[in-house]
Amino acid sequence: MKRSESRESAFLILFESLFKDEPITDLIILAKESRNFKTDSFTVKLVKGVSEKISEIDALIQKKSISWSIDRLSKVVLVALRLAIYEMLFEEKIPISVSINEAVELTKKYSTQEDAAFLNGILGVVAKELEGK
């Protein structure tokens, strides 16, 4: 599986988790069994990583999305932000630009160009802060 496919699978599982009150590991298993959903170790790592670090990630999203509360963000943007920020913070071997580009592409696919531009702006601010450290 290509990394972009793994990210998309992780994105879809994380998106589903917004609407189902089930443990994330159960959602991964159900996705594989019920829909013949493709996952690999990278998909699982991303889903579990985002789930474990969600408070820290959401605090950063809230801080950087000036005048927008997390509740006002589209669900697609929220999940793409969570996934990209997790990678940017905790996956050191993945270039920040790759994480941003993948999140923008997912947002374009599942939402609108405007949402993709908004997401790109927030991730750009996060990237500048991380590169300054």
Side-chain angles (χ1 to χ4, degrees):
M1 224 172 142
K2 295 180 185 177
R3 283 272 169 117
S4 59
E5 294 170 333
S6 299
R7 278 186 190 89
E8 185 169 5
S9 293
F11 171 85
L12 293 170
I13 292 168
L14 290 165
F15 186 83
E16 185 176 359
S17 74
L18 296 175
F19 303 99
K20 292 190 175 179
D21 189 27
E22 295 185 39
I24 203 71
T25 51
D26 289 353
L27 291 177
I28 294 168
I29 292 167
L30 287 170
K32 284 188 210 177
E33 290 176 353
S34 65
R35 294 184 302 253
N36 197 22
F37 200 73
K38 291 182 184 178
T39 63
D40 61 8
S41 60
F42 187 60
T43 301
V44 173
K45 181 179 184 181
L46 291 175
V47 171
K48 287 183 176 181
V50 170
S51 296
E52 290 169 4
K53 301 290 187 178
I54 201 159
S55 296
E56 185 177 342
I57 294 167
D58 282 358
L60 185 56
I61 292 169
Q62 188 63 61
K63 181 179 171 186
K64 300 302 178 190
S65 55
I66 300 167
S67 74
W68 283 83
S69 70
I70 283 184
D71 296 336
R72 287 186 61 207
L73 297 176
S74 81
K75 301 300 184 207
V76 169
V77 169
L78 177 60
V79 173
L81 281 170
R82 285 175 173 169
L83 190 57
I85 290 172
Y86 170 80
E87 282 188 24
M88 293 164 75
L89 293 176
F90 303 107
E91 294 292 326
E92 295 176 7
K93 293 182 181 180
I94 299 172
I96 288 174
S97 60
V98 170
S99 298
I100 293 171
N101 185 58
E102 292 284 336
V104 168
E105 292 304 315
L106 284 168
T107 304
K108 285 179 185 176
K109 181 174 181 176
Y110 291 101
S111 191
T112 65
Q113 190 70 33
E114 292 80 18
D115 277 350
F118 175 79
L119 171 128
N120 191 42
I122 292 175
L123 292 178
V125 171
V126 172
K128 283 181 185 174
E129 183 177 296
L130 292 175
E131 290 168 355
K133 289 186 177 179

